[in-house]
Amino acid sequence: MPRQQLFRITAAARIFVLVAIAAPVLWERDVVAVAALAVIAAIWVLAQAASWRATRSMPWTLEAALVGAVCAFTIESTLSVLAALAISPFVAGLHRGLSGVAQSVSAQLTALVSISLLVFGGLTTEASLGIFTWTVTGIGVGFIATFVRSTSVLEPDTVSSYRYAQGLIRELIGLSEGLSSGLDVNALGGALLSQVRDRLPAVSLALYVPRGETLAPLITESPDPDALARIEQLATEVWGSGRTAVEHRTFAFALGETAIIAGTLSDRVDLDLGARLTELVADLQAGLVQFDTALLFSHFRDTATADERRRLSREMHDGVAQDIASLGYAVDALAARPASPEQAKQLAALRAQVTAIVSEVRSSVLTLRTSVGESESLGAAVGSVARNLSEVSGVPITVTLDEHTTRLRAEVEAELFRIAQEAMNNAVKHARATAIEVECQVYAPRARISVCDNGRGLQQGRTDSYGLKIMRERAQLIKADLSVSENETGGLTVTVQIGPAATSSEPARPDPESVTA
């Protein structure tokens, strides 16, 4: 339990009992009871001080024994102070729970009864009844304190979830050594389609995975774009109904709740497609388990990364950014009354540097917090970060979008988005570009994004620069091609592409949308 919270609760309980006992005692002018109450108050003050300063648990048994002793010496003259017997079990319950309550009650009863027998030779019926009443009351409030301690007052373990995650991740690493096929979603999806092709003479095949309220194509293999459109429509119907569908030579069936496979048979064969699909679904169950595991791992990785990015952005915004802004205010105060013209120039230069650093931190916070999952599409996310980056840097950024309504898988969109974001940031920060053009073309499962600037071109690499390396690593994760080349303006063009070129065999599309940030 937090020390400050424990201190406040125990202090309030002790003050309340002192006031409750002192009021009738002072009214009746019971001198013995007043003296005993003063001694008990001193014991509790020392106990409060010990609870504030101690690095370990305070000695509740000592406190309980002292209170019991004070009650024992005054029990022949007054029973008013016996109410103090209820406090020690309450405090012990807050500190250690039921074991503390038992120790506290035992200590104060032992001290009270032993001293009473030694000094007075025994206890009267009235004294015994008073001791019993307040001891039972102490046990009751001790149980209440124990319940409060176990529910709402316990100090949360901020790293317990990480310890639990450590155990699970270690177990996953141990299990992954025995996974013959690994956890690559594309590889396992391709293995599923290979099994389908071995059993069915299909000329077109596609594997879809659910993404929110839509289906996202994972792998498509077809020489005819029109066939893919029919396959996708049938796959969507199967996803809604959960039943296998066959229309002429086009088929689609669900594998659990995580995958839809659809395709078109060759015109050269004639077979009972319904019966063959039933057998095929049963044969694919083992591969489906592997594929589901890979999807779960991919989702876990993306979720953990997103949470960490949001945590870092909060810490930067609430910590570093605020501290730097405070330095700026201090510089403004000094600049209001400079000692000399030279100092005024130095303060102005310092203020400009502080402003630049604040803008840089805010841009980093924006980079960490922006997520493609919060946007309607990959292109919309790229346009949003381009608009925000342009507002912060003052560099005009033109974004041209050409998208199909079908979306890519979440992890593929996330990596493409981060590559485009890093390329734009590099153009602004390092290339000193005065204009940036971004083209985003998405025909799932294919996509192409290019970022072209008119900056200084490819400079000599710095030891503290990892931007290009990180972009290449992101491209490798999703099996994408990344190229960096100089353009006609002397600047750089960064292009990332997944799948074959998306322009040669595509059907007619509406004119692409162009947005200038």
Side-chain angles (χ1 to χ4, degrees), residues 124-142:
T124 64
T125 303
E126 185 179 5
S128 300
L129 181 60
I131 294 172
F132 174 79
T133 301
W134 287 110
T135 299
V136 172
T137 303
I139 295 174
V141 295

Side-chain angles (χ1 to χ4, degrees), residues 304-458:
T305 303
D307 290 342
E308 184 65 12
R309 295 177 73 92
R310 285 192 290 268
R311 184 189 67 81
L312 289 174
S313 69
R314 288 194 300 270
E315 291 184 358
M316 291 178 63
H317 181 272
D318 298 336
V320 178
Q322 301 299 330
D323 293 341
I324 297 175
S326 299
L327 291 178
Y329 299 145
V331 173
D332 291 338
L334 294 174
R337 295 180 180 180
S340 64
E342 291 76 12
Q343 188 184 66
K345 293 181 181 179
Q346 293 175 351
L347 291 174
L350 178 60
R351 188 64 178 90
Q353 291 180 353
V354 171
T355 301
I357 294 173
V358 171
S359 299
E360 182 74 15
V361 171
R362 289 177 177 172
S363 176
S364 298
V365 170
L366 173 67
T367 299
L368 288 170
R369 292 199 67 86
T370 306
S371 173
V372 67
E374 301 171 355
S375 303
E376 296 179 356
S377 65
L378 173 60
V382 171
S384 176
V385 74
R387 179 170 56 254
N388 292 325
L389 182 60
S390 180
E391 292 175 355
V392 172
S393 64
V395 178
I397 303 177
T398 301
V399 181
T400 302
L401 306 180
D402 185 9
E403 294 184 291
H404 191 264
T405 55
T406 304
R407 298 191 65 167
L408 299 163
R409 288 187 301 116
E411 57 269 27
V412 174
E413 285 190 353
E415 299 300 344
L416 291 176
F417 170 73
R418 294 301 175 189
I419 291 172
Q421 189 178 46
E422 181 67 21
M424 287 186 282
N425 282 329
N426 288 341
V428 171
K429 296 178 184 178
H430 307 306
R432 299 180 183 175
T434 58
I436 302 174
E437 295 182 359
V438 181
E439 294 183 1
C440 179
Q441 187 181 55
V442 181
Y443 299 145
R446 293 170 288 178
R448 180 180 180 274
I449 301 177
S450 67
V451 179
C452 181
D453 66 70
N454 63 348
R456 299 182 299 169
L458 191 62

Side-chain angles (χ1 to χ4, degrees), residues 174-194:
L175 291 173
S176 63
E177 297 177 355
L179 299 177
S180 58
S181 302
L183 291 173
D184 184 85
V185 175
N186 290 283
L188 294 175
L192 287 175
L193 291 187
S194 296

Side-chain angles (χ1 to χ4, degrees), residues 186 412 415-416 419 447 471-483 495-499:
N186 290 283
V412 174
E415 299 300 344
L416 291 176
I419 291 172
M471 284 193 290
R472 294 193 186 281
E473 290 175 352
R474 290 186 181 278
Q476 290 176 359
L477 286 175
I478 56 175
K479 304 292 190 296
D481 296 324
L482 180 72
S483 63
T495 303
V496 58
Q497 178 173 307
I498 183 168

Side-chain angles (χ1 to χ4, degrees), residues 200-287:
L200 294 175
V203 294
S204 299
L205 275 178
L207 174 62
Y208 299 88
V209 292
R211 180 181 178 184
E213 298 180 355
T214 61
L215 279 180
L218 177 64
I219 302 173
T220 57
E221 302 173 355
S222 176
D224 183 7
D226 294 332
L228 281 179
R230 293 193 300 271
I231 289 172
E232 181 178 333
Q233 182 179 3
L234 193 61
T236 303
E237 295 177 2
V238 169
W239 181 44
S241 64
R243 300 178 180 177
T244 301
V246 177
E247 291 184 0
H248 303 293
R249 294 185 174 274
T250 303
F251 63 90
F253 59 91
L255 288 177
E257 298 180 355
T258 57
I260 305 291
I261 295 180
T264 303
L265 288 182
S266 171
D267 296 335
R268 301 179 181 180
V269 296
D270 186 14
L271 50 81
D272 186 356
L273 187 55
R276 187 68 64 87
L277 290 178
T278 301
E279 298 176 359
L280 183 59
V281 170
D283 294 340
L284 293 177
Q285 292 307 308

